[in-house]
Amino acid sequence: MSLDAAPTPPEELRNTMVDQLIAWGSLHIPRVEAAMRGVPRHLFVPDVAVEAAYAHDGVITHPGADGRPRSMASAPGIVAQMLEQLDVQPGHRVLEIGAGTGYNAALLAHLVGPDGHVTTIDIDGDVVDAARSGLAAAGYGSVHVICGDGEYGYPGHAPYDRIIVTAGAWDVPPAWSDQLTMDGRIVVPLRVRGLTRSVALERGNGFWRSRSMIYCGFIPMRGAGYCPESTVRLRDDIEVFLRLDDRQSVDPEALGGALKHPACHTWLGVNATESELGHFEFWLATMDGFCRLLARGDAIEGMLVEPMYRWGSMAVFDLDTFAYLTMREAPRGDDGTRIFELGVCAYGPQGEQLADRVTEQIRRWDRHGRSLTNTWIEVHPAGTATDVAGHLVAEKRHTRIIIRTAPAS
Ligand SMILES: C[S@@+](CC[C@H](N)C(=O)[O-])C[C@H]1O[C@@H](n2cnc3c(N)ncnc32)[C@H](O)[C@@H]1O
């Protein structure tokens, strides 16, 4: 007789996953909860153990040639949050860009019900085949799965009440607004200066305005809308890089010498909570040369003053010099909130000057920016919107994106 315990039924694992999402504050809306309890996620990731399907991680289904995933099922927490942002109603017509496994399309089909319609599109034929199989196995064969580049939407089934993009976008192409109803909503993980947020966009007066935004990370969209970030390796022998977005120009040779200079590091006596760091990133990103420092194990242990996070830090470069942020734990707040003191570390011939500029920006945030917790994104047609002083502005292919901040209302 086997002593092995009987495997936990998928339904029980699924309900535990949903219960945890609710407990952690990632899921609030009963209709989204019902969809997540109803759709058998494990049928969309048939090559992994059922337990892995209901864990809180993404599941890679198609590794890419460069070692990064080409397709995956997103983590349940971000799936739930984006569906809540989307506000899908019964009877809606929905377009999803990034079919992946088909799991999110099945959730959408559950939410729109028998009177609605879901189209999902993926750029890769093998991913499309897998999505179709998963949807058929789970009983959602009515979802239309199309192979194509989501940059152009899918005019065949437009207009849509909702568009959801589940790959990282760098811009909002015209096809999406052309194919959306006037009071429609787009939810898209949008990258500005390397910072990605899932934004729910609605039409304002001639532009898009975000209704909500949440932290996220996504596989970048490929195809016509692809805009790679550029990466500069700072030393050959250790893994330390600068990653630059929004087509900033850089001289890798000049930056390559920066680490030969000694670190110029100071603690600022300026503290921030984890939630303040979210809008602080946008404040810092208004600086010319904003980028990210990526550093792996040996670089952090062996030579760099420790960056903020395990992946690295927010940073700023200027020609041959770069500076990045550091932080250390400060005494907790009265309610137990974690608090961090910020620091700046610079390398390069102009290290002290750049560190001073970044320090000044942080001190301005401390004095004036900290209270600007109301942050929103506007997406204007390229070349329009001029009242941008003091705000973060990113020129994209089709649009001018502005990130504005104001005191909480
Ligand atoms: C994170 S996965 C999507 C997850 C999916 N929604 C699910 O429920 O499993 C991102 C997907 O976007 C697809 N993709 C990337 N660029 C695309 C493009 N330009 N048009 C359509 N799909 C694209 C990838 O092939 C990948 O399958």
Side-chain angles (χ1 to χ4, degrees):
M1 198 176 76
S2 162
L3 292 177
D4 289 348
T8 312
E11 220 178 302
E12 201 177 317
L13 293 169
R14 186 155 67 248
N15 280 325
T16 304
M17 175 189 87
V18 172
D19 292 342
Q20 288 169 337
L21 291 176
I22 294 169
W24 297 337
S26 302
L27 178 50
H28 313 83
I29 299 176
R31 293 183 55 252
V32 177
E33 177 190 338
M36 294 194 78
R37 290 198 194 277
V39 175
R41 180 170 160 97
H42 63 289
L43 298 183
F44 295 88
V45 284
D47 296 336
V48 300
V50 178
E51 288 73 16
Y54 291 108
H56 288 279
D57 301 318
V59 178
I60 297 171
T61 52
H62 296 77
D66 60 357
R68 289 195 267 184
R70 178 163 61 87
S71 185
M72 63 188 293
S74 305
I78 189 67
V79 171
Q81 291 181 76
M82 288 176 74
L83 287 176
E84 295 205 340
Q85 285 186 293
L86 194 63
D87 185 31
V88 184
Q89 297 299 321
H92 270 167
R93 299 175 68 78
V94 182
L95 173 67
E96 180 192 37
I97 293 165
T101 61
Y103 171 63
N104 196 47
L107 294 167
L108 291 167
H110 195 290
L111 287 164
V112 300
D115 297 332
H117 187 262
V118 176
T119 304
T120 185
I121 181 165
D122 204 284
I123 201 162
D124 287 336
D126 57 345
V127 174
V128 165
D129 292 343
R132 284 192 184 127
S133 306
L135 285 160
Y140 293 95
S142 63
V143 172
H144 272 88
V145 190
I146 308 286
C147 187
D149 185 345
E151 171 85 357
Y152 306 110
Y154 185 69
H157 295 159
Y160 303 102
D161 301 291
R162 298 286 185 267
I163 296 178
I164 181 166
V165 184
T166 59
W170 179 76
D171 197 1
V172 180
W176 300 352
S177 70
D178 293 349
Q179 294 171 26
L180 194 76
T181 56
M182 282 314 287
D183 56 355
R185 180 181 287 194
I186 300 177
V187 169
V188 52
L190 197 55
R191 196 182 85 219
V192 178
R193 295 282 194 281
L195 306 174
T196 302
R197 302 288 189 273
S198 171
V199 288
L201 297 171
E202 284 184 356
R203 286 178 215 271
N205 196 5
F207 60 91
W208 296 99
R209 190 193 196 283
S210 66
R211 295 286 150 216
S212 62
M213 52 177 162
I214 49 181
Y215 252 91
C216 63
F218 267 88
I219 298 175
M221 271 184 81
R222 288 171 279 135
Y226 180 58
C227 181
E229 292 179 274
S230 33
T231 303
V232 178
R233 188 164 190 153
L234 296 169
R235 259 182 56 168
D236 291 338
D237 53 335
I238 50 169
E239 297 206 77
V240 53
F241 311 87
L242 288 186
R243 184 156 288 169
L244 292 72
D245 195 14
D246 292 332
R247 303 182 285 195
Q248 295 178 84
S249 58
V250 62
D251 178 353
E253 294 233 334
L255 270 171
L259 281 171
K260 293 188 183 120
H261 294 258
C264 166
H265 182 244
T266 31
W267 293 110
L268 306 183
V270 174
N271 291 346
T273 62
E274 270 168 308
S275 72
E276 284 174 327
L277 288 172
H279 47 96
F280 168 72
E281 284 185 0
F282 285 129
W283 179 272
L284 198 71
T286 57
M287 291 190 77
D288 284 343
F290 177 82
C291 59
R292 282 171 300 148
L293 172 92
L294 307 184
R296 305 221 171 92
D298 56 350
I300 296 176
E301 282 146 31
M303 65 153 304
L304 288 182
V305 177
E306 198 167 336
M308 287 178 93
Y309 304 112
R310 261 187 312 157
W311 56 263
S313 247
M314 290 169 275
V316 176
F317 78 94
D318 188 0
L319 194 65
D320 50 10
T321 301
F322 68 93
Y324 61 91
L325 266 61
T326 59
M327 67 182 187
R328 64 181 175 188
E329 197 110 20
R332 286 186 182 235
D334 294 341
D335 58 355
T337 309
R338 292 178 76 191
I339 298 181
F340 301 93
E341 181 186 1
L342 299 175
V344 176
C345 183
Y347 289 89
Q350 314 296 325
E352 232 167 272
Q353 293 88 325
L354 186 58
D356 284 350
R357 270 165 45 209
V358 175
T359 297
E360 187 43 39
Q361 181 74 357
I362 295 172
R363 294 207 185 286
R364 268 200 296 272
W365 173 79
D366 190 32
R367 288 193 300 269
H368 311 296
R370 192 189 286 279
S371 59
L372 307 180
T373 51
N374 182 10
T375 304
W376 71 96
I377 293 187
E378 292 175 5
V379 181
H380 294 259
T384 65
T386 46
D387 55 330
V388 296
H391 298 286
L392 173 55
V393 182
E395 307 294 348
K396 304 288 182 167
R397 222 170 260 135
H398 306 287
T399 66
R400 167 174 286 169
I401 295 185
I402 305 168
I403 300 183
R404 296 189 193 272
T405 50
S409 44

